[in-house]
């Protein structure tokens, strides 16, 4: 059985927030501890990236040999991506378990799933490539029009901005879709476009509400931010289940 026919299910923003919050409250400490663990593991990779970029882009003195700084930058980027994928998959898997009415164990967060991580990486990469290609085309057209009239340069850029907003909203559920919905990146983006399309304005409102929630959490500084990520993952996963159903089509929960 595949994903539901687009437009069949509707999204209730308030119910998604309520369900997501309840899912987080079902196991708050495992969510928070896993988030802390992920940040601790990610910290040295962020340090390598920061040091490498400061040295290469801004000419800052290298604390280590320049070649080692470049190698460190690559290691930092790879390590950061791997940990970010591990974190996203773990939090989403924990959210799914909690939304099923079960209390997720810490093991359900930390278990590495190579296939799920690969699908998510491919989907995110494809989305970035699409945005980069369309953005480059828009800039090229704008550059050509700008030679005719400087005021025309902005028109393709405005069109790209509108396209970017539309596409990003359709991919609001890219993470759970990659994990539970379909197995190929192209199908992931297509399923997002088709599934979100009939409810695009509601999903846009959902994105705005999530941003407001994130802003409120930011006011509570570090403590709020530690809780923010797992809560937003739970809310997004709850919203995904409303639109696309609660069936695990890829078998990620049984792996």
């Amino acid at each position: 059985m595949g994903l539901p026919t687009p437009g069949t299910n509707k999204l209730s923003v308030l119910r998604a927030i309520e369900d997501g919050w309840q899912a987080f409250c079902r196991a708050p400490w495992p969510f928070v501890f896993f988030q802390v663990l992920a940040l601790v593991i990610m910290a040295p990779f962020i340090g390598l990236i920061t040091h490498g970029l400061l040295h290469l882009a801004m000419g800052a003195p290298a604390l280590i040999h320049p070649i080692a700084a470049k190698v460190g930058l690559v290691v930092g980027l790879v390590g950061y991506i791997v940990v970010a994928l591990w974190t996203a998959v773990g939090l989403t898997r924990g959210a799914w378990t909690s939304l099923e009415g079960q209390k997720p164990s810490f093991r359900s967060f930390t278990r590495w799933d190579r296939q799920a991580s690969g699908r998510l990486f491919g989907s995110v990469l494809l989305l970035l490539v699409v945005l980069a290609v369309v953005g480059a085309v828009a800039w090229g057209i704008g550059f050509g029009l700008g030679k005719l009239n400087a005021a025309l340069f902005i028109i393709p850029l405005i069109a790209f901005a509108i396209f970017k907003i539309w596409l990003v909203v359709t991919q609001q559920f890219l993470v759970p879709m990659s994990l539970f919905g379909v197995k190929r990146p192209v199908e992931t983006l297509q399923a997002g476009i088709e599934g979100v399309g009939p409810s695009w304005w509601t999903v846009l409102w959902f994105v705005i509400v999530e941003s407001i929630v994130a802003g409120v959490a930011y006011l509570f500084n570090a403590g709020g931010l530690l809780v923010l990520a797992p809560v937003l993952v739970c809310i997004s996963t709850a919203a995904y289940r409303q639109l696309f159903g609660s069936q695990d089509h890829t078998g990620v929960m049984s792996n």
Side-chain angles (χ1 to χ4, degrees):
M1 183 177 180
L3 295 171
T5 303
T8 302
N9 299 330
K10 303 298 181 182
L11 172 62
S12 171
V13 176
L14 293 180
R15 185 161 67 87
I17 295 175
E18 181 181 358
D19 291 346
W21 176 251
Q22 290 178 353
F24 171 78
C25 291
R26 190 167 283 117
W29 292 116
F31 275 108
V32 173
F33 286 156
F34 177 68
Q35 180 70 16
V36 172
L37 176 63
L39 290 175
V40 170
I41 297 175
M42 192 178 289
F45 296 116
I46 295 177
L48 289 173
I49 294 172
T50 302
H51 177 264
L53 291 178
L54 287 176
H55 173 63
L56 294 177
M58 302 181 63
L63 300 178
I64 55 179
H65 193 279
I67 295 179
K70 295 177 182 179
V71 174
L73 176 59
V74 175
V75 172
L77 287 172
V78 173
Y80 178 85
I81 292 172
V82 171
V83 177
L85 291 171
W86 174 64
T87 305
V89 173
L91 288 176
T92 308
R93 188 168 50 221
W96 189 275
T97 301
S98 193
L99 287 165
E100 288 285 306
Q102 306 172 24
K103 185 176 180 179
S105 65
F106 196 68
R107 168 63 178 166
S108 65
F109 291 95
T110 59
R111 176 171 56 84
W112 171 256
D113 190 323
R114 180 179 58 83
Q115 293 182 345
S117 299
R119 292 199 302 272
L120 178 56
F121 176 75
S123 299
V124 173
L125 182 62
L126 178 60
L127 176 60
L128 293 177
V129 168
V130 169
L131 289 174
V133 170
V134 176
V137 171
W139 187 91
I141 295 175
F143 182 78
L145 292 176
K147 291 184 175 181
L148 300 177
N149 189 320
L152 297 178
F153 176 78
I154 195 67
I155 296 178
L157 299 184
I158 293 176
F160 171 68
I162 295 174
F163 169 80
K164 182 178 180 180
I165 294 173
W166 170 80
L167 182 62
V168 169
V169 171
T170 66
Q171 302 309 312
Q172 171 67 18
F173 307 110
L174 183 144
V175 175
M177 180 64 75
S178 298
L179 269 58
F180 308 108
V182 294
K183 294 186 176 182
R184 295 180 178 85
V186 174
E187 295 175 352
T188 299
L189 266 64
Q190 183 180 0
I193 293 172
E194 294 176 352
V196 171
S199 304
W200 191 89
W201 289 104
T202 305
V203 176
L204 175 62
W205 172 239
F206 175 75
V207 173
I208 294 173
V209 171
E210 274 199 324
S211 300
I212 294 174
V213 172
V216 172
Y218 182 76
L219 297 177
F220 294 92
N221 53 61
L225 293 177
L226 287 176
V227 174
L228 171 64
V231 168
L232 290 182
V233 170
C234 289
I235 292 174
S236 292
T237 306
Y240 167 87
R241 287 162 63 96
Q242 286 186 26
L243 277 180
F244 298 98
S246 57
Q247 183 177 350
D248 175 15
H249 297 280
T250 64
V252 66
M253 297 303 296
S254 59
N255 290 338

